[in-house]
Amino acid sequence: MFTKLLNIFSDSNEKIIDQLQTKIDLINSFEDSLINLTNEELTNKTEYFRNKLSDNISLDEIMPEAFAVVREASKRILGQRHYDVQIMGGIVLYQGSISEMKTGEGKTLTATLPLYLNALEGGSVHLVTVNDYLSRRDCSWMGPVFNFLGISVACLQYNGKAFIYNENFDAQNKSSQQLIESSRKDAYLADITYGTNNEFGFDYLRDNMVIQSGQLSQRSRNFAIVDEVDNILIDEARTPLIISGPSQQPTDLYKKVNQAVKQLQIQEDFEISEKERTALLTEDGISKLETLLNVENMYSQENYLLAHYVENSLKAHYIFAKDVDYVLSNGEVVIVDEFTGRLMPGRRYSEGLHQSLEAKEQVRIQQESITYATITLQNYFRLYNKLSGMTGTAATEAEEFFKIYKLESVSIPTHKPMLREDLNDLIFLNESYKFNAVVEHINKLYNTKRPVLIGTGSIEKSEQLSLLLKKQRIPHQILNAKQHEKEATIVAQAGRLGSVTVSTNMAGRGTDIVLGGNPEDRDSNEWQKEHDKVIELGGLYIIGTERHEARRIDNQLRGRSGRQGDPGTTQFYVSLQDDQMRRFGGERIQGIMNKVGMDDKPVTNSWVTRAINQTQIKMEGHNFDIRKHLVEYDDVMNIQRSIIYEKRMNILSNNSLKIILEEMFTKELENIVDTLYEEQSYNNSNNSNNSNNSNNSNNSNNSNNSNNSILTILVEIEKILPEFQDFIPSEVDNPDQIITIGLEYFEKLYTEQFIENQNFIELQTGFMLRVIDSVWVEHLTTMQNLRESIGLQAYGQRDPLVMYKRESRNLFDAIINKIGQGIAQNIFNVSKIANLKGYKSQPKISQQNSNQIGSVNSHTRIGRNDPCTCGSGKKYKRCHGS
């Protein structure tokens, strides 16, 4: 059955490739005519395309010629002509799908085609990379092509920096700058912007925290290409982007809990589940901790926070490992990306886990944080009108891409036949045997001068292997998060004769290892000689020292070898003590190994290899379920976030401000009238039933009660509409009429306080945004607490997700009411604040004494545009009414 499904997928991909070939033939048909154009004529094609688009010609119609123009420009400027398979990959990206292209097939150049085409429309076009180095490199590398075609390019960098490609850059002038530092906003105004997923995502969150429209950075999100799409949309999907600030939680408790947890004994006091990456206390462990922490019941309501600290401390000590999950750098705990091996400065584990790690490592414990804004990468990238992606490994995750992002995957053929040889795994009984065999193999390869790249699973393992190589006096380079500044230099030399490079997953992504001498000298005779010698030796040899959770991460490592038709060899060395083997397949594989029989010698048994692959497939499914589960929960929050952010943007842009306020006042007026009138009616009914007085007396009481009810309502309304009683006609005795008149009075006040004085509009918007933000921040914390506790619903035979949706809806309805209340009750005090701050005075409603409701108002209202009663000749609003 599985084979049939594979055949169906294969057939489907072949049909797509055949259809793409027809489009490639059409694109190629433009080449002869474009060759004869002058540079100026070729550059003018951009304006020609834009004029066509303004005449309602679609992108589909201009795509063939536009792609041909980019190829011709690249050939003239870079000396690189897109291969047909790169054109094919570009079409797939333009269509909003994932283009699976093997390493070395030129994804960076491929991306120029759809980037240019979509930039012609004028909306935001983003190229998302996995790190800052690639953002800047690709912007610099492809910038000359886009600049030649009249397309502006920029890149975002960490710490708020941004650069724009210098349109006057002169490569011959050594003092000329290729990239000029710019503002973040200017970088987003460029036709094409390169940057990491974090930079784009955090800028989106920051834009939804500003209080002035001039502070916005991003434009609309029209089109994005995500490079290494599986890393960003799958591996990173579990980690939300969070903007936070310090809370007032004490940090001493972390130290106290840390000291107590260090005294616990594994198995006796707690048990570790490696598969789930959790540490669970036993009954003895709970009792011991309660004694150490001097509490009667650690899980009582008043000790809830303490129990949470204990849980995090257990994880910090027994689940999270130094130089695997994090490193110490300049006295700080810095997270290591488990999939790329790169450091993630500025990122912190949430919910107190990072503080527990700081307590464990005895560095300064930073305060816990309050979340101001958050979004998952899954939901951020769904904001784009069109999304596409590139990677060398998409096929194994095709189902997830389609189910979560509606992205189809297309495998693009290689430009040249793949010559790399992927050998069967070598399986060892323990880690010691495995590493001894790895070092022995490296020594043999080094003696023949064949370049070798060794992939390890963590910083710790890379340094462990490095020590073994030093003992054997084998010269080598080590590439992990501790040497990330030298990454480009180390990788550039990894294909040279006699090169030995030990690396974490850092070398698995975004890097091209060129065989032979220094890549910068590839036009020289010396480089060609060395290149030929490496080819003769069999190309780059890849050794993987353990299998990873997902097959595609292994495939990424394999993909460093055999680029563009080069030869190469890959092989994985596996031991039964490896993390993945222990966590997900140890017992079954151990049973197979016992049947085979082994000591320090490796086994290359097809049963074992198949068992390892099945373990990885199960783990991929397990992780997919986790991510899918997270999406289902985050989708609830995403709907709420979209509503709040839309309200925010409407206010920020002064779009429909009055309508928004009017809706809030209508709801607040209705709440006041409904609540107080029903309450008064209930009291009247009770008074009537309990009264023994005459009918006339009852009628008189009912009349007075009705008047009192109206008076109570008006007093309450006057809290949100100042001096409302002076405006309302004396004959009103109907609550519905009060709402109608209240909205008329709102119209009057709004015109006087805001429309006729634009200075106060800024204060109005600022006030409204602050109310929304303060309530939203509280809601984020409440929702986080709900998310943590909702799992308990399962004990009551209820679906936690269903209950989460129900509870979150109630909470959200409550905060919408709270926002409306907060704004409605205080918005007309803005003018008072404005006057205190020195803004120009606002005209005020005349102060008048009102008689009791039911009698005739003895005062005549003076209109704001009437002549002032002082006889000055000025309008009342310009004189005593001001």
Side-chain angles (χ1 to χ4, degrees):
M1 179 65 185
F2 185 65
T3 306
K4 286 182 181 178
L5 288 173
L6 283 177
N7 289 337
I8 290 170
F9 175 78
S10 177
D11 291 345
S12 174
N13 198 79
E14 287 176 8
K15 287 178 182 176
I16 293 172
I17 298 300
D18 289 341
Q19 292 167 1
L20 291 173
Q21 187 59 52
T22 304
K23 291 183 171 63
I24 290 169
D25 293 340
L26 180 57
I27 292 166
N28 289 340
S29 69
F30 286 96
E31 188 161 23
D32 289 342
S33 61
L34 293 176
I35 287 173
N36 297 321
L37 296 181
T38 64
N39 283 353
E40 184 179 358
E41 288 171 334
L42 190 61
T43 298
N44 289 339
K45 281 289 184 180
T46 297
E47 192 62 29
Y48 164 75
F49 292 137
R50 282 177 169 159
N51 289 335
K52 280 201 161 194
L53 290 173
S54 64
D55 291 336
N56 294 321
I57 303 297
S58 69
L59 282 179
D60 285 349
E61 292 178 81
I62 67 170
M63 184 268 288
E65 187 177 5
F67 273 33
V69 164
V70 176
R71 177 160 66 180
E72 181 61 27
S74 173
K75 190 171 65 174
R76 295 186 190 188
I77 304 302
L78 301 179
Q80 298 178 27
R81 178 186 178 275
H82 295 75
Y83 303 130
D84 280 3
V85 290
Q86 290 173 315
I87 297 284
M88 189 178 291
I91 297 171
V92 170
L93 293 172
Y94 163 68
Q95 292 173 339
S97 296
I98 292 174
S99 178
E100 185 188 58
M101 300 176 69
K102 301 300 180 187
T103 301
E105 291 298 301
K107 291 190 286 290
T108 305
L109 190 64
T110 296
T112 57
L113 301 163
L115 287 175
Y116 171 77
L117 181 59
N118 283 275
L120 294 173
E121 281 191 311
S124 290
V125 173
H126 299 160
L127 190 289
V128 187
T129 65
V130 293
N131 59 51
D132 270 2
Y133 164 73
L134 292 176
S135 298
R136 187 160 181 162
R137 184 202 73 176
D138 292 356
C139 180
S140 301
W141 188 6
M142 298 298 120
V145 176
F146 292 124
N147 184 52
F148 175 83
L149 292 170
I151 299 292
S152 56
V153 193
C155 68
L156 308 173
Q157 296 284 278
Y158 181 62
N159 283 336
K161 290 186 177 181
F163 296 87
I164 291 180
Y165 185 85
N166 182 4
E167 60 181 13
N168 298 315
F169 173 69
D170 181 4
Q172 304 304 317
N173 183 358
K174 292 184 179 179
S175 63
S176 178
Q177 284 184 294
Q178 190 174 15
L179 296 178
I180 303 172
E181 190 162 356
S182 74
S183 70
R184 208 77 165 176
K185 188 169 187 175
D186 285 342
Y188 278 111
L189 287 173
D191 295 316
I192 298 168
T193 308
Y194 287 81
T196 65
N197 50 299
N198 287 346
E199 297 306 312
F200 287 118
F202 279 125
D203 282 343
Y204 166 74
L205 292 178
R206 292 186 196 103
D207 275 359
N208 283 286
M209 294 173 67
V210 303
I211 57 171
Q212 293 178 348
S213 57
Q215 297 170 328
L216 293 170
S217 294
Q218 288 187 344
R219 297 186 286 156
S220 61
R221 284 158 292 278
N222 185 37
F223 174 65
I225 298 175
V226 182
D227 193 13
E228 304 298 351
V229 65
D230 54 329
N231 176 232
I232 292 174
L233 296 190
I234 292 181
D235 298 337
E236 293 266 325
R238 283 193 249 177
T239 307
L241 302 178
I242 300 173
I243 293 179
S244 58
S247 73
Q248 301 306 312
Q249 293 286 359
T251 57
D252 290 344
L253 191 54
Y254 286 105
K255 296 177 182 177
K256 184 179 178 181
V257 169
N258 182 67
Q259 290 301 320
V261 166
K262 283 166 66 177
Q263 299 179 54
L264 300 180
Q265 301 296 318
I266 191 168
Q267 298 302 330
E268 181 183 330
D269 298 320
F270 65 93
E271 296 173 350
I272 293 175
S273 170
E274 292 196 56
K275 182 175 180 179
E276 304 297 335
R277 283 178 63 83
T278 57
L280 302 174
L281 289 169
T282 63
E283 290 293 330
D284 290 343
I286 292 170
S287 298
K288 185 183 285 189
L289 276 176
E290 286 172 343
T291 302
L292 291 169
L293 296 170
N294 195 27
V295 294
E296 287 187 13
N297 182 359
M298 195 170 73
Y299 291 98
S300 63
Q301 189 172 352
E302 62 270 19
N303 290 326
Y304 168 75
L305 196 61
L306 181 64
H308 182 62
Y309 281 28
V310 167
E311 182 184 336
N312 278 334
S313 188
L314 282 167
K315 285 183 180 178
H317 278 280
Y318 304 108
I319 303 298
F320 286 74
K322 181 182 173 184
D323 288 341
V324 178
D325 301 292
Y326 65 91
V327 297
L328 287 182
S329 176
N330 299 322
E332 292 187 357
V333 173
V334 181
I335 299 172
V336 175
D337 188 321
E338 63 177 307
F339 298 103
T340 66
R342 293 186 171 90
L343 292 181
M344 297 193 288
R347 295 274 285 271
R348 291 178 63 82
Y349 294 115
S350 59
E351 301 169 34
L353 176 58
H354 213 97
Q355 285 79 3
S356 295
L357 288 168
E358 289 166 336
K360 169 191 171 184
E361 297 296 344
Q362 298 183 342
V363 298
R364 185 175 72 86
I365 300 175
Q366 299 183 31
Q367 283 188 316
E368 274 195 69
S369 56
I370 298 173
T371 299
Y372 294 140
T374 179
I375 192 171
T376 60
L377 289 174
Q378 290 160 320
N379 276 318
Y380 171 71
F381 283 109
R382 285 163 158 187
L383 295 172
Y384 283 86
N385 296 331
K386 185 166 67 172
L387 183 66
S388 61
M390 306 183 292
T391 181
T393 48
T396 57
E397 313 296 340
E399 180 187 2
E400 182 166 353
F401 282 128
F402 185 76
K403 284 188 174 179
I404 294 181
Y405 302 101
K406 305 302 179 197
L407 288 171
E408 296 200 12
S409 302
V410 179
S411 295
I412 306 298
T414 55
H415 175 56
K416 293 180 180 179
M418 175 68 73
L419 300 180
R420 188 185 70 222
E421 183 182 14
D422 297 328
L423 301 177
N424 289 329
D425 294 357
L426 296 178
I427 299 101
F428 294 82
L429 191 62
N430 60 44
E431 194 175 73
S432 177
Y433 292 158
K434 178 184 73 174
F435 274 115
N436 288 338
V438 167
V439 172
E440 184 181 341
H441 192 181
I442 292 170
N443 195 31
K444 288 179 181 177
L445 292 167
Y446 173 70
N447 289 331
T448 67
K449 296 296 182 183
R450 184 175 180 183
V452 56
L453 172 69
I454 307 98
T456 61
S458 66
I459 297 169
E460 180 186 39
K461 299 297 181 188
S462 67
E463 293 179 342
Q464 180 183 338
L465 181 57
S466 177
L467 287 173
L468 293 174
L469 292 174
K470 285 176 182 176
K471 286 181 182 179
Q472 295 296 320
R473 297 184 178 178
I474 301 173
H476 63 280
Q477 291 283 350
I478 184 167
L479 176 59
N480 59 35
K482 292 182 177 179
Q483 290 85 26
H484 64 99
E485 296 91 349
K486 303 175 184 176
E487 178 180 356
T489 305
I490 293 172
V491 169
Q493 306 299 321
R496 302 197 68 170
L497 282 173
S499 174
V500 177
T501 309
V502 178
S503 176
T504 57
N505 291 343
M506 289 179 74
R509 289 200 180 266
T511 54
D512 251 2
I513 298 175
V514 179
L515 302 185
N518 192 327
E520 294 179 3
D521 303 327
R522 69 176 70 190
D523 292 332
S524 67
N525 290 331
E526 291 299 317
W527 182 89
Q528 191 61 51
K529 286 179 183 177
E530 187 169 338
H531 174 77
D532 292 344
K533 180 64 177 174
V534 174
I535 295 290
E536 189 180 312
L537 289 169
L540 180 65
Y541 201 111
I542 300 288
I543 294 176
T545 59
E546 62 185 83
R547 289 290 200 113
H548 297 86
E549 283 190 359
R551 289 166 293 168
R552 61 192 163 74
I553 301 177
D554 294 341
N555 292 338
Q556 284 284 350
L557 180 60
R558 291 188 196 276
R560 299 308 102 196
S561 178
R563 64 184 294 280
Q564 286 292 330
D566 288 339
T569 308
T570 71
Q571 188 164 43
F572 277 85
Y573 283 62
V574 180
S575 90
L576 296 186
Q577 292 181 334
D578 293 348
D579 288 344
Q580 303 307 323
M581 300 292 283
R582 285 203 327 269
R583 287 170 64 192
F584 300 105
E587 293 180 5
R588 182 185 173 198
I589 295 172
Q590 179 76 61
I592 298 172
M593 299 296 285
N594 290 337
K595 291 179 182 177
V596 174
M598 60 187 300
D599 42 24
D600 63 339
K601 302 299 180 186
V603 170
T604 55
N605 188 284
S606 59
W607 291 353
V608 179
T609 301
R610 196 178 306 122
I612 292 172
N613 287 333
Q614 288 300 317
T615 297
Q616 286 182 306
I617 292 170
K618 285 181 181 177
M619 189 57 203
E620 288 164 5
H622 175 71
N623 286 334
F624 174 37
D625 289 341
I626 292 174
R627 289 188 292 267
K628 188 169 177 288
H629 191 61
L630 288 174
V631 168
E632 289 171 342
Y633 276 89
D634 194 58
D635 278 348
V636 177
M637 195 68 198
N638 196 49
I639 294 168
Q640 298 180 2
R641 178 172 44 241
S642 299
I643 292 170
I644 292 293
Y645 283 1
E646 185 180 3
K647 275 184 185 294
R648 236 187 157 277
M649 282 298 171
N650 284 336
I651 292 169
L652 200 62
S653 59
N654 292 333
N655 182 21
S656 309
L657 269 183
K658 185 182 169 189
I659 294 173
I660 294 170
L661 269 178
E662 193 167 4
E663 287 175 356
M664 292 176 176
F665 268 90
T666 301
K667 194 161 190 176
E668 191 62 16
L669 286 169
E670 288 172 349
N671 286 341
I672 291 170
V673 170
D674 290 347
T675 303
L676 294 177
Y677 201 73
E678 284 176 12
E679 184 181 302
Q680 195 66 43
S681 298
Y682 176 77
N683 292 336
N684 289 347
S685 174
N686 282 346
N687 290 338
S688 177
N689 290 335
N690 295 327
S691 176
N692 294 320
N693 295 333
S694 65
N695 287 337
N696 288 338
S697 177
N698 282 340
N699 290 338
S700 174
N701 284 338
N702 287 341
S703 177
N704 286 334
N705 285 336
S706 178
N707 286 338
N708 288 335
S709 173
I710 297 296
L711 178 59
T712 305
I713 290 170
L714 293 180
V715 169
E716 196 65 28
I717 289 176
E718 204 160 56
K719 292 179 182 178
I720 64 171
L721 292 171
E723 299 155 36
F724 178 57
Q725 293 185 54
D726 293 343
F727 181 80
I728 196 165
S730 58
E731 65 275 7
V732 171
D733 59 2
N734 184 318
D736 291 335
Q737 282 182 282
I738 294 175
I739 294 174
T740 302
I741 295 168
L743 292 175
E744 291 174 5
Y745 188 55
F746 160 78
E747 178 93 22
K748 178 179 176 63
L749 281 179
Y750 188 83
T751 301
E752 291 169 351
Q753 289 209 9
F754 298 114
I755 293 179
E756 293 186 6
N757 191 332
Q758 289 298 310
N759 289 335
F760 288 177
I761 287 289
E762 214 175 284
L763 279 172
Q764 176 199 4
T765 56
F767 170 73
M768 292 173 74
L769 292 173
R770 284 188 174 92
V771 171
I772 290 173
D773 291 346
S774 62
V775 174
W776 179 243
V777 167
E778 288 178 17
H779 182 65
L780 289 176
T781 303
T782 304
M783 288 291 286
Q784 180 60 38
N785 294 336
L786 175 65
R787 176 72 181 86
E788 290 172 7
S789 63
I790 203 69
L792 297 173
Q793 295 287 344
Y795 291 108
Q797 303 299 310
R798 298 194 227 14
D799 185 339
L801 180 59
V802 172
M803 297 306 295
Y804 179 76
K805 288 179 178 179
R806 184 181 300 170
E807 290 296 321
S808 63
R809 174 60 188 268
N810 293 337
L811 289 169
F812 189 66
D813 288 345
I815 72 156
I816 291 297
N817 287 336
K818 191 174 182 180
I819 288 170
Q821 249 178 4
I823 291 175
Q825 290 175 4
N826 295 285
I827 192 66
F828 286 120
N829 290 326
V830 169
S831 60
K832 295 176 185 176
I833 299 168
N835 286 326
L836 288 173
K837 288 181 176 252
Y839 283 80
K840 185 178 176 182
S841 297
Q842 271 294 330
K844 295 179 182 177
I845 302 297
S846 59
Q847 296 290 333
Q848 299 183 30
N849 296 321
S850 61
N851 295 324
Q852 287 197 355
I853 299 296
S855 62
V856 178
N857 195 321
S858 62
H859 297 275
T860 306
R861 178 172 297 280
I862 303 173
R864 298 186 65 253
N865 290 314
D866 293 340
C868 187
T869 53
C870 72
S872 66
K874 296 180 180 179
K875 289 184 179 181
Y876 178 74
K877 67 182 180 183
R878 301 295 183 197
C879 193
H880 281 78
S882 65

